[in-house]
Amino acid sequence: ALGTPPADKIKMVQDSGRLIGALCGKVKQAVAHREAGLDFVVGQGGEGGGHTGEIGSIVLWPQMIDAIGDTPFLAAGGIGNGGQVAAALAMGAAGVWTGSLWLTVEEAHTQPAQKESLLKAESGDTVRSRSWTGKTCRMLRNDWTEAWERSDTPEPLGMPLQGMVTSDGMRRTSTYADKGNCQAVAFNPCGQVIGQIKQVESCRSVMQRLLEEYVDAVERAASMLPEG
């Protein structure tokens, strides 16, 4: 999301015996990651949460997979059930990278009011906005994001300057998420897949569900092939 890691950082991580990868939302960024020697690339479609680009996952993933060759690719943006995992792997991804799926689990540190906002949200309730960090970021639409879109409001500063303006608000709306009408101006980054998430589950339950849904999807696809 923030560029290819510096060469010295890549070397430091790899020399320690660990793998290093980076997130991106454009094909040219994925190629830059590969050429820098990263061990894997995470490609996130525009429907993903947090800092994200404009191109949708189903269009972006196969282009990135073709562009980076043998470098392992993790598909991100819009992964909320096992069928979506199967679709990513069918396109050639080595695995998937999930985010919004974990915001509402029992083990999450998300505060109750924030969790309630996320569970009530539909996919259309998210918006890409520069209002918090200065870089396009997908989050829940609320009074804060709407105010920054008004014609009488100045343009957000670029990153990291906008973050310097909003950091105190970000900290306070996180700390006091359950107070008053805080959610009307809170920073709740999430992807469009949030519309699929309607109940609190444990991490164990989510993993089990993903596996079962994945098997169902693969079996459903296999049933379309002629018997041979």
Side-chain angles (χ1 to χ4, degrees), residues 21 24 32 55 113 167 171 204:
C24 59
I55 305 169
S167 60
R171 177 180 61 81
R204 180 187 180 93

Side-chain angles (χ1 to χ4, degrees), residues 206-220:
V206 170
M207 290 302 299
Q208 182 65 33
R209 176 173 60 78
L210 288 175
L211 290 170
E212 292 174 356
E213 292 168 345
Y214 172 81
V215 171
D216 288 344
V218 171
E219 290 179 346
R220 187 163 53 249

Side-chain angles (χ1 to χ4, degrees), residues 139-151:
M139 62 194 74
L140 289 186
R141 180 187 290 105
N142 59 16
D143 292 350
W144 175 279
T145 61
E146 292 292 308
W148 278 93
E149 291 296 323
R150 292 196 329 232
S151 59

Side-chain angles (χ1 to χ4, degrees), residues 12-182:
M12 180 183 71
V13 172
Q14 291 176 334
D15 286 351
S16 73
R18 291 173 290 178
L19 301 179
I20 181 170
L23 186 71
C24 59
K26 293 182 179 179
V27 173
K28 67 178 183 179
Q29 295 167 340
V31 172
H33 288 347
R34 182 204 65 193
E35 292 177 346
L38 296 183
D39 298 296
F40 63 94
V41 171
V42 184
Q44 177 174 270
E47 60 266 59
H51 294 126
T52 183
E54 300 177 351
I55 305 169
S57 292
I58 200 169
V59 173
L60 182 68
W61 295 342
Q63 292 184 58
M64 284 189 170
I65 290 166
D66 288 344
I68 64 175
D70 294 335
T71 302
F73 176 80
L74 299 183
I79 303 289
N81 63 40
Q84 290 159 328
V85 174
L89 299 187
M91 291 185 199
V96 299
W97 181 285
T98 55
S100 301
L101 189 58
W102 308 103
L103 294 174
T104 60
V105 294
E106 292 174 1
E107 296 88 345
H109 290 184
T110 318
Q111 295 196 43
Q114 189 177 14
K115 194 171 289 189
E116 183 179 2
S117 294
L118 294 165
L119 290 170
K120 287 182 176 179
E122 301 295 340
S123 296
D125 294 330
T126 69
V127 62
R128 290 171 71 246
S129 172
R130 295 176 52 231
S131 61
W132 279 102
T133 69
K135 184 175 170 64
T136 50
C137 181
R138 187 174 294 282
M139 62 194 74
L140 289 186
R141 180 187 290 105
N142 59 16
D143 292 350
W144 175 279
T145 61
E146 292 292 308
W148 278 93
E149 291 296 323
R150 292 196 329 232
S151 59
D152 61 342
T153 302
E155 283 290 311
L157 301 171
M159 180 183 273
L161 298 179
Q162 183 69 8
M164 296 171 66
V165 172
T166 64
S167 60
D168 190 52
M170 195 180 298
R171 177 180 61 81
R172 287 173 181 267
T173 58
S174 175
T175 302
Y176 305 110
D178 296 328
K179 303 296 183 182
N181 197 29
C182 184

